[in-house]
Amino acid sequence: MASNRRLPGVLRQFAEERDWQQFHTPKNLAMALAGEVGELLAELQWLTPEQAAAVMDEPEAGARVRAEIGDVMIYLTRLADVLGIDLEEAARAKLAEVAVRYPVEQAKGSAAKR
Amino acid sequence: MASNRRLPGVLRQFAEERDWQQFHTPKNLAMALAGEVGELLAELQWLTPEQAAAVMDEPEAGARVRAEIGDVMIYLTRLADVLGIDLEEAARAKLAEVAVRYPVEQAKGSAAKR
Amino acid sequence: MASNRRLPGVLRQFAEERDWQQFHTPKNLAMALAGEVGELLAELQWLTPEQAAAVMDEPEAGARVRAEIGDVMIYLTRLADVLGIDLEEAARAKLAEVAVRYPVEQAKGSAAKR
Amino acid sequence: MASNRRLPGVLRQFAEERDWQQFHTPKNLAMALAGEVGELLAELQWLTPEQAAAVMDEPEAGARVRAEIGDVMIYLTRLADVLGIDLEEAARAKLAEVAVRYPVEQAKGSAAKR
């Protein structure tokens, strides 16, 4: 797992070595992604907003949150790779659309979207 | 949105320009992440495994899937940034753990985990 | 849709009349359930805790939340029916387990579980 | 937990006895609901459609699916109760809307919606 290789390729090889490509269909990976997001939510759900903002200062809870974020990123990267989508490009393309819909002056401080 | 700037910084500036940091708490962003994953699932839920595998060949459905993946990546990146987590590092650290738990020889072809 | 018939049977007939049973597999319905929960989260995600507590006093937002809760219940009922599970019994059985794990005296006021 | 009492009241008392109402805000319960749906998805994600259709015939996997469905129902019921929504009524009201949008003749066999 040399860190100079890009993550999608690293994960693809990881799956191939274990014969897991058969399980890594778009629907299955989307379900796994949702499952990991659910585990991430579970780490935050009973915290107050203040506790959640400081969760990374708690060694044990912080490590769990980091691990769950890692899991979410693993499945999101894997799903995008299986679909032939570049994650960063998809995010930047979507952001460009959002920028048009929510120009700075009109969007300022409104939660209408995000 | 110069493409040579890293995505977390681009998204941070995007939120700051619109005064959206007040909404971007860990709990809110985790909920938004789950919401976008839900929209992604909705694109795939009624497809057969075969249709889902070929979804990117359909111009309209493929564009929607790509946009939803972009949205998921936007909120995941934003959540990680607010928590001070490097997404790629978190994924690689988690993968290293999984590699220990599922050595190639034992994991081969088994769906026990993934 | 006479209200004296039980909901699982009403939904089963609704699906059968439209030839939708072919789509209503456990995996598809679980994805649809997660998709609807995502839409429900989207209604609440940017609200403050105080705003969320009062969301049903807002006619439009309240109607949207009610409709999303209805959608979640529809797919949960449908999924349980397809799997041959009685929703209420499953909830009561699970609650009995939780009651053993979290006796009143020890659980009081702790967020350890819920 | 007498079974002749309605589930929302049973769950409300369960929470009150443990002083858990303070955690049971709409946002927290919606997150918990999504978390439990994630666990349910995790039970089904790597199964083939055929395996998933027969999951209740497997004693261990079937018991886990039933328990997860119970958890989802618990949080959905609790969330609806906190918001003052009757679950069954909300589902029936939504179904009536869907029936108008997808009349039997036009919807037959199409996955356009569900």
PDB file of all heavy atoms in Angstrom, chain B residues 45-57:
ATOM      1  N   GLN B  45     -31.955   2.064  -6.767  1.00  0.00           N
ATOM      2  CA  GLN B  45     -32.744   1.075  -6.029  1.00  0.00           C
ATOM      3  C   GLN B  45     -33.621   0.162  -6.877  1.00  0.00           C
ATOM      4  O   GLN B  45     -33.765  -1.012  -6.569  1.00  0.00           O
ATOM      5  CB  GLN B  45     -33.568   1.775  -4.946  1.00  0.00           C
ATOM      6  CG  GLN B  45     -34.624   2.723  -5.470  1.00  0.00           C
ATOM      7  CD  GLN B  45     -35.052   3.720  -4.386  1.00  0.00           C
ATOM      8  OE1 GLN B  45     -34.394   3.896  -3.390  1.00  0.00           O
ATOM      9  NE2 GLN B  45     -36.179   4.383  -4.602  1.00  0.00           N
ATOM     10  N   TRP B  46     -34.212   0.670  -7.914  1.00  0.00           N
ATOM     11  CA  TRP B  46     -35.120  -0.185  -8.702  1.00  0.00           C
ATOM     12  C   TRP B  46     -34.439  -0.834  -9.903  1.00  0.00           C
ATOM     13  O   TRP B  46     -35.086  -1.564 -10.669  1.00  0.00           O
ATOM     14  CB  TRP B  46     -36.356   0.590  -9.167  1.00  0.00           C
ATOM     15  CG  TRP B  46     -37.109   1.273  -8.083  1.00  0.00           C
ATOM     16  CD1 TRP B  46     -37.513   2.573  -8.068  1.00  0.00           C
ATOM     17  CD2 TRP B  46     -37.558   0.702  -6.842  1.00  0.00           C
ATOM     18  NE1 TRP B  46     -38.179   2.848  -6.899  1.00  0.00           N
ATOM     19  CE2 TRP B  46     -38.216   1.721  -6.127  1.00  0.00           C
ATOM     20  CE3 TRP B  46     -37.458  -0.571  -6.259  1.00  0.00           C
ATOM     21  CZ2 TRP B  46     -38.777   1.525  -4.866  1.00  0.00           C
ATOM     22  CZ3 TRP B  46     -38.011  -0.777  -5.001  1.00  0.00           C
ATOM     23  CH2 TRP B  46     -38.658   0.265  -4.333  1.00  0.00           C
ATOM     24  N   LEU B  47     -33.182  -0.565 -10.113  1.00  0.00           N
ATOM     25  CA  LEU B  47     -32.462  -1.193 -11.225  1.00  0.00           C
ATOM     26  C   LEU B  47     -32.112  -2.639 -10.893  1.00  0.00           C
ATOM     27  O   LEU B  47     -31.853  -2.975  -9.739  1.00  0.00           O
ATOM     28  CB  LEU B  47     -31.178  -0.416 -11.528  1.00  0.00           C
ATOM     29  CG  LEU B  47     -31.312   1.088 -11.815  1.00  0.00           C
ATOM     30  CD1 LEU B  47     -29.957   1.673 -12.168  1.00  0.00           C
ATOM     31  CD2 LEU B  47     -32.319   1.349 -12.920  1.00  0.00           C
ATOM     32  N   THR B  48     -32.082  -3.492 -11.901  1.00  0.00           N
ATOM     33  CA  THR B  48     -31.529  -4.828 -11.694  1.00  0.00           C
ATOM     34  C   THR B  48     -30.020  -4.675 -11.537  1.00  0.00           C
ATOM     35  O   THR B  48     -29.445  -3.646 -11.910  1.00  0.00           O
ATOM     36  CB  THR B  48     -31.800  -5.739 -12.903  1.00  0.00           C
ATOM     37  OG1 THR B  48     -31.131  -5.169 -14.042  1.00  0.00           O
ATOM     38  CG2 THR B  48     -33.284  -5.856 -13.203  1.00  0.00           C
ATOM     39  N   PRO B  49     -29.355  -5.706 -10.988  1.00  0.00           N
ATOM     40  CA  PRO B  49     -27.886  -5.634 -10.893  1.00  0.00           C
ATOM     41  C   PRO B  49     -27.257  -5.318 -12.249  1.00  0.00           C
ATOM     42  O   PRO B  49     -26.298  -4.532 -12.316  1.00  0.00           O
ATOM     43  CB  PRO B  49     -27.506  -7.031 -10.395  1.00  0.00           C
ATOM     44  CG  PRO B  49     -28.690  -7.483  -9.598  1.00  0.00           C
ATOM     45  CD  PRO B  49     -29.888  -6.917 -10.322  1.00  0.00           C
ATOM     46  N   GLU B  50     -27.809  -5.877 -13.314  1.00  0.00           N
ATOM     47  CA  GLU B  50     -27.254  -5.652 -14.654  1.00  0.00           C
ATOM     48  C   GLU B  50     -27.457  -4.196 -15.087  1.00  0.00           C
ATOM     49  O   GLU B  50     -26.552  -3.569 -15.646  1.00  0.00           O
ATOM     50  CB  GLU B  50     -27.909  -6.588 -15.683  1.00  0.00           C
ATOM     51  CG  GLU B  50     -27.591  -8.069 -15.471  1.00  0.00           C
ATOM     52  CD  GLU B  50     -28.262  -8.646 -14.212  1.00  0.00           C
ATOM     53  OE1 GLU B  50     -29.361  -8.158 -13.831  1.00  0.00           O
ATOM     54  OE2 GLU B  50     -27.694  -9.569 -13.588  1.00  0.00           O
ATOM     55  N   GLN B  51     -28.663  -3.681 -14.868  1.00  0.00           N
ATOM     56  CA  GLN B  51     -28.925  -2.283 -15.223  1.00  0.00           C
ATOM     57  C   GLN B  51     -28.024  -1.337 -14.423  1.00  0.00           C
ATOM     58  O   GLN B  51     -27.524  -0.350 -14.960  1.00  0.00           O
ATOM     59  CB  GLN B  51     -30.395  -1.942 -14.943  1.00  0.00           C
ATOM     60  CG  GLN B  51     -31.375  -2.601 -15.916  1.00  0.00           C
ATOM     61  CD  GLN B  51     -32.820  -2.471 -15.473  1.00  0.00           C
ATOM     62  OE1 GLN B  51     -33.106  -2.370 -14.281  1.00  0.00           O
ATOM     63  NE2 GLN B  51     -33.745  -2.495 -16.420  1.00  0.00           N
ATOM     64  N   ALA B  52     -27.836  -1.650 -13.149  1.00  0.00           N
ATOM     65  CA  ALA B  52     -27.005  -0.782 -12.312  1.00  0.00           C
ATOM     66  C   ALA B  52     -25.550  -0.800 -12.789  1.00  0.00           C
ATOM     67  O   ALA B  52     -24.862   0.229 -12.765  1.00  0.00           O
ATOM     68  CB  ALA B  52     -27.091  -1.210 -10.846  1.00  0.00           C
ATOM     69  N   ALA B  53     -25.096  -1.968 -13.233  1.00  0.00           N
ATOM     70  CA  ALA B  53     -23.708  -2.073 -13.707  1.00  0.00           C
ATOM     71  C   ALA B  53     -23.484  -1.239 -14.966  1.00  0.00           C
ATOM     72  O   ALA B  53     -22.369  -0.816 -15.255  1.00  0.00           O
ATOM     73  CB  ALA B  53     -23.349  -3.539 -13.966  1.00  0.00           C
ATOM     74  N   ALA B  54     -24.561  -0.995 -15.719  1.00  0.00           N
ATOM     75  CA  ALA B  54     -24.446  -0.250 -16.979  1.00  0.00           C
ATOM     76  C   ALA B  54     -25.036   1.152 -16.879  1.00  0.00           C
ATOM     77  O   ALA B  54     -25.241   1.823 -17.894  1.00  0.00           O
ATOM     78  CB  ALA B  54     -25.159  -1.030 -18.092  1.00  0.00           C
ATOM     79  N   VAL B  55     -25.288   1.631 -15.671  1.00  0.00           N
ATOM     80  CA  VAL B  55     -26.007   2.904 -15.508  1.00  0.00           C
ATOM     81  C   VAL B  55     -25.262   4.089 -16.110  1.00  0.00           C
ATOM     82  O   VAL B  55     -25.880   5.045 -16.583  1.00  0.00           O
ATOM     83  CB  VAL B  55     -26.358   3.161 -14.016  1.00  0.00           C
ATOM     84  CG1 VAL B  55     -25.139   3.523 -13.208  1.00  0.00           C
ATOM     85  CG2 VAL B  55     -27.425   4.251 -13.897  1.00  0.00           C
ATOM     86  N   MET B  56     -23.926   4.024 -16.134  1.00  0.00           N
ATOM     87  CA  MET B  56     -23.166   5.160 -16.663  1.00  0.00           C
ATOM     88  C   MET B  56     -23.241   5.249 -18.197  1.00  0.00           C
ATOM     89  O   MET B  56     -22.831   6.249 -18.778  1.00  0.00           O
ATOM     90  CB  MET B  56     -21.711   5.107 -16.197  1.00  0.00           C
ATOM     91  CG  MET B  56     -21.540   5.170 -14.687  1.00  0.00           C
ATOM     92  SD  MET B  56     -22.463   6.539 -13.886  1.00  0.00           S
ATOM     93  CE  MET B  56     -21.566   7.964 -14.527  1.00  0.00           C
ATOM     94  N   ASP B  57     -23.774   4.192 -18.823  1.00  0.00           N
ATOM     95  CA  ASP B  57     -23.973   4.243 -20.280  1.00  0.00           C
ATOM     96  C   ASP B  57     -25.256   4.984 -20.653  1.00  0.00           C
ATOM     97  O   ASP B  57     -25.461   5.322 -21.824  1.00  0.00           O
ATOM     98  CB  ASP B  57     -24.043   2.824 -20.866  1.00  0.00           C
ATOM     99  CG  ASP B  57     -22.755   2.048 -20.594  1.00  0.00           C
ATOM    100  OD1 ASP B  57     -21.723   2.707 -20.375  1.00  0.00           O
ATOM    101  OD2 ASP B  57     -22.803   0.812 -20.615  1.00  0.00           O
TER     102      ASP B  57
END
